[in-house]
Amino acid sequence: MRAIGSGGGSYTFQNTSRTVKAGALTLHFHEAGPAHPDAPVVIMLHGGGPGASGWSNFGGNLPHFAEHFRTLLVDQPCYGRSDKPEPDRDYFTYSARALVALMDELRIERAHFIGNSLGGGTATRLALDHPDRVDKLLLMGPGGISLNLFSADPTEGIKRLFEFSLAPEPTREQMRTFLTTLVYDPAIVTDELVEERYRQATDPEAALGNARMAASFATWPEDTMLWREAHRITRPVLLTWGREDRVNPVDGAFLALKAIPDARLHVFPRCGHWAQTEAAAEFNRLATDFFRH
């Protein structure tokens, strides 16, 4: 895994990698931040595409956030190097409970959360069921809480996701096609990125985890409709969207914006589902300002 530079050196996959037992699960995450023990905590939760992990989603943002916050990039259950069990509840609830167990193990009382797509659904469920553990929420094109008003379901990005996940032998070209739906600028989808995500996604254990995650949505579909509970969120929320998001289109933001009592919305132009990559400088500044003020 590549090294990511910072003012004090480089963060690598290896030197930030941590693994702990959290309740019944072993969870993997990356951690960096100020030496000060009272630094505020930011927990970042990745999306759910094939080959996704905390590092693949947010590794490039870690140097910025680590300057200001104790920052954790968590591999959610069924992803990355975390355990890949069969969830006994809908995925958002299952993953949120795992996050609370992780916080307990690390003695983190409260944290800010950034949730992208699937991770946005987990962060939302955590704020609904465990509001005392959450300071502020930044939700990026989140799942569960958005409801498409003008865009047809399934969206283009979800169709390409299904094509890869359901293929008996998924191909690199299918991976490239899926990743291209996540961005506005297709140049971001390099051969290196395709190869890295394809290798991770086709690992047998990763494929099993993805199948188990998907099965939980099929078993408890109504429990994932978080937009019906959005009015109960008591924490400050910043909704962020790429205007050209082809996975969770921007019209999905409007119900959440109206329903959440303390919500605001920021839309990035010329940006898809990966604002943290395509609009990295603006995203980092926006998130830092929101969490610190």
Side-chain angles (χ1 to χ4, degrees):
M1 298 288 182
R2 66 190 182 278
I4 298 172
S6 71
S10 293
Y11 296 114
T12 68
F13 185 98
Q14 290 76 18
N15 71 23
T16 59
S17 178
R18 313 280 186 268
T19 301
V20 300
K21 188 76 171 180
L25 298 179
T26 297
L27 296 180
H28 177 260
F29 60 100
H30 299 270
E31 181 174 8
H36 196 287
D38 296 325
V41 180
V42 170
I43 298 176
M44 299 186 173
L45 303 176
H46 60 80
S53 67
W55 184 265
S56 71
N57 225 152
F58 294 111
N61 308 94
L62 184 58
H64 172 87
F65 282 88
E67 290 183 12
H68 309 282
F69 309 100
R70 179 184 177 188
T71 306
L72 280 66
L73 319 182
V74 180
D75 291 349
Q76 296 190 76
C78 299
Y79 286 92
R81 295 190 178 184
S82 289
D83 280 350
K84 299 169 179 63
E86 284 190 44
D88 59 2
R89 286 294 308 275
D90 71 279
Y91 185 81
F92 293 146
T93 300
Y94 188 79
S95 187
R97 288 177 177 175
L99 263 294
V100 171
L102 177 66
M103 293 173 72
D104 288 344
E105 181 65 27
L106 299 178
R107 299 182 181 179
I108 297 172
E109 186 175 340
R110 297 167 68 90
H112 302 300
F113 285 86
I114 295 178
N116 178 213
S117 200
L118 182 78
T122 296
T124 299
R125 175 51 71 193
L126 203 154
L128 286 166
D129 292 356
H130 310 276
D132 57 317
R133 310 305 295 269
V134 177
D135 280 322
K136 294 181 178 180
L137 289 176
L138 192 159
L139 305 176
M140 308 166 52
I145 201 167
S146 61
L147 185 66
N148 294 341
L149 302 178
F150 310 122
S151 304
D153 282 318
T155 62
E156 180 185 0
I158 298 300
K159 287 179 181 177
R160 302 294 87 82
L161 171 65
F162 286 162
E163 285 177 2
F164 184 93
S165 298
L166 298 178
E169 294 185 16
T171 65
R172 286 174 175 81
E173 192 54 38
Q174 287 175 317
M175 174 60 78
R176 183 182 298 277
T177 300
F178 166 67
L179 292 175
T180 300
T181 67
L182 302 181
V183 296
Y184 172 74
D185 180 5
I188 291 173
V189 183
T190 62
D191 291 344
E192 179 186 14
L193 176 62
V194 171
E195 187 60 33
E196 181 176 321
R197 289 290 294 261
Y198 181 79
R199 185 174 63 252
Q200 293 171 351
T202 53
D203 174 83
E205 185 181 0
L208 176 63
N210 185 68
R212 287 176 167 173
M213 178 279 296
S216 76
F217 276 87
T219 304
W220 294 280
E222 292 200 2
D223 292 332
T224 65
M225 299 178 186
L226 303 179
W227 52 269
R228 300 187 302 185
E229 303 177 60
H231 64 280
R232 295 198 297 107
I233 298 174
T234 59
R235 311 312 302 158
V237 176
L238 174 58
L239 300 164
T240 68
W241 244 273
R243 190 180 63 189
E244 286 75 31
D245 193 326
R246 289 182 279 165
V247 179
N248 292 332
V250 69
D251 57 282
F254 301 136
L255 178 59
L257 180 64
K258 181 70 174 177
I260 299 170
D262 189 0
R264 65 279 290 149
L265 172 66
H266 183 91
V267 178
F268 298 93
R270 297 175 294 280
C271 182
H273 198 53
W274 277 354
Q276 80 280 9
T277 299
E278 290 197 275
E282 184 180 358
F283 173 82
N284 291 343
R285 176 190 55 77
L286 189 73
T288 303
D289 288 348
F290 177 58
F291 291 146
R292 296 181 71 184
H293 301 103

